[in-house]
Amino acid sequence: MANAGIQLNRKCIQPFRIGSPSTNASLIEVSMQSQTLSYSESIPKEKREACFQHIIGIRKMLTSQKNIAQETFDESTPTMRKLICFHAGLKSRHINMRFFELGHSERIKVIEALNSLIEFGNALPAFISETDSVLNIEH
């Protein structure tokens, strides 16, 4: 039986068999979490280098994807975070949490609150003058 290897494509990393039954190639292991890679010396250097370059590209692609809700929540001021949590119906203990510390249902509530606040912000006029503090009695 041939040893396992990896196949790199744009969607995912999937195991596949490389070599023939007589080949003594070893398993290539990729860990996206620990950033480790081990390989067999029996795999040609050119193929190893190409594999490493694909893995580096995949890592860059995976780490460059932004989570707008997470960035917005984590980077907001305490006052803004209090508003977001209040609007999402969360408790005061959530104000000091980071987005990844929230449960899935809490994150969904935060996203819904952010979208609602965005709609509210879009409905407001671009600028309100201080002269509007004078009451219009005729109105």
Side-chain angles (χ1 to χ4, degrees):
M1 172 171 282
N3 290 324
I6 58 169
Q7 175 181 354
L8 300 174
N9 61 35
R10 289 185 172 175
K11 294 184 179 176
C12 62
I13 298 174
Q14 299 175 346
F16 76 107
R17 303 284 175 198
I18 60 172
S20 63
S22 61
T23 306
N24 192 15
S26 296
L27 173 68
I28 297 175
E29 298 174 9
V30 178
S31 170
M32 299 305 275
Q33 299 296 327
S34 64
Q35 306 273 329
T36 60
L37 179 68
S38 61
Y39 58 88
S40 167
E41 293 298 326
S42 65
I43 298 173
K45 184 177 180 177
E46 300 81 32
K47 287 187 179 183
R48 284 196 314 260
E49 282 299 317
C51 182
F52 289 145
Q53 292 306 315
H54 285 293
I55 292 170
I56 289 169
I58 290 170
R59 285 181 180 162
K60 285 180 183 177
M61 184 179 65
L62 291 175
T63 58
S64 68
Q65 294 177 351
K66 293 184 178 182
N67 183 328
I68 296 170
Q70 181 176 3
E71 284 184 10
T72 304
F73 187 79
D74 289 347
E75 295 173 8
S76 62
T77 63
T79 304
M80 186 62 121
R81 196 178 291 195
K82 189 181 288 189
L83 173 68
I84 294 167
C85 288
F86 173 79
H87 196 67
L90 301 177
K91 301 191 184 296
S92 59
R93 66 183 174 88
H94 295 102
I95 296 168
N96 298 322
M97 295 175 127
R98 297 190 41 100
F99 192 76
F100 77 90
E101 295 173 313
L102 300 173
H104 180 72
S105 62
E106 295 163 339
R107 289 192 303 266
I108 296 297
K109 289 179 182 179
V110 165
I111 291 168
E112 289 172 351
L114 288 171
N115 285 328
S116 177
L117 291 169
I118 289 168
E119 274 186 47
F120 176 71
N122 290 335
L124 294 175
F127 178 76
I128 299 176
S129 171
E130 287 185 26
T131 59
D132 288 337
S133 65
V134 177
L135 295 178
N136 186 351
I137 299 175
E138 296 173 14
H139 217 235

